[in-house]
Amino acid sequence: MDVALIVRVSRFFAEAAWVTVEISVLALALGLCVGFAAALAKVSDRAVLSLPARVYVSVFRGTPALIQLFIIYFGGPQIGLQLEPFAAGVLGLGLNIGAYMTESIRGAIVAVERGQSEAARCLGLGHLQAMRKVILPQAARLMIRPLGVNSIALIKGSALVSAISVVELTYTAHRFISSTYRPFEMFMLSAAFYLLIISAASHLIRTLDARFALRT
Amino acid sequence: MQGFDFWAVTEYSDVLLAGMAWTALLTVASSGLSLVGGAVFALLGLSRSRVVRMPTAFFVWLFLGTPLLLQLYLIYFGLVQIGIDLTAFAAGVIALSLHFAVYNADVIRAGIVAIDRGQHEASRSLGLGLGQTMRKVILPQALRNVTPALGNNMIALLKESSLVSIIGVMELTLSAQRAISETFRPFEFYIAAGALYYVLNAVLELVLRRVERGTAMTR
């Protein structure tokens, strides 16, 4: 164990860890937006809405995230979409996790008792109003935990963007492994940062869950 | 902006199909090993001895909290440091197996804990040893209960296996990359690779559903 080396390089790892946090947070925001839209479309009675949502979820859950990322970053320019690695990373990770979040959100929506939506409709609320004022407020409290699981998976999945040369934690670990020939030290250093980020995220999710989750 | 040429894909269909076969092999081999590893980690984690339990818990915590890609780098580049020089394929199989063994261990442990204690006591009083009890009474029941969850991990493994392309294993993703380096058509070939993964995924789901129906306990 070369402690002096670890101290010397840890600054680069801390900066890289911040990039991992940034890209995860942005992808999370995108994933939540896409996930909500797709989940609402998927529970709709109209095939025009539910069919595209079903195709989206099936395609993005049925293929590797790495391939999706490569299509966006390397294939994008062919369809006129030229993105920086960071932006391509956010888009790829966000669309990928969005498909998993769609299922988490949809699961929470259908878990709210059917009688609730019937009662709301009987009281004269429209479909959208019933959704917004009766179903979603209850469903939101049920989806904290599954969305939390998705978010943790997203943080670990963010390592993939190192393959399109975003300088985040895994990329930095790889770079220093090749230049120092100290793989175990570099692995442990990067692992420490990942564990720190993931512990903080899990703590946040647990707190939110304890505060807001619907007890059944 | 250049036009598309999906016909180029057909010229490389043998390369892509060979890559697909390697991905299938990688998935089957790693899944098998990750099931065995998962059962081992689960049993170690349930051990009565602290000396066994603590290191297992640490290892599981470390592997659950870090990305697969990082683990892959550790195993492929890291083991060389202590004199173990693995081929890319071997490193890929080991990394995928260990990574998913940890996930499977979680599932299997939950399955074991859910089995009624009476089963354990009955089998011990019939004279079976601890190992025999686990192997012949507890595990067969526990595994049947958690087949769907283990199946989900296997499906995740299929998709994550694309990562080993990064250390140079010639599976589906790297096969597509090789074709791209000759044709400069990333869009077409990554779409084609994605479609082939989708097919593998659908086939695996079909097989797993069969297995689930075969092993489900009638309640």
Side-chain angles (χ1 to χ4, degrees), chain A residues 58 61-64 66-67 70-71 74-75 78-79 100 156 159-160 162 170 173 182-184 187 191 194-195 198, chain B residues 1 4 61 64-67 69 73-74 77-78 81 103 159 162-163 177 185-188 190 194 197-198 201:
Chain A
S58 172
R61 296 205 333 166
T63 56
L66 189 63
I67 293 280
F70 283 167
I71 291 176
F74 296 113
Q78 255 174 291
I79 53 167
Y100 290 88
K156 282 184 271 182
L160 292 197
S162 66
T170 301
R182 290 272 173 198
F184 279 101
F187 172 77
Y194 272 114
L195 290 166
I198 285 169
Chain B
M1 200 165 142
F4 294 123
W61 176 74
L64 272 181
T66 53
L69 188 54
Y73 285 146
L74 175 76
F77 299 112
Q81 198 182 0
Y103 282 90
K159 284 172 280 176
S162 63
L163 294 200
Q177 262 162 29
R185 299 208 162 271
F187 194 81
E188 291 89 333
Y190 284 133
Y197 273 111
Y198 192 83
N201 194 64

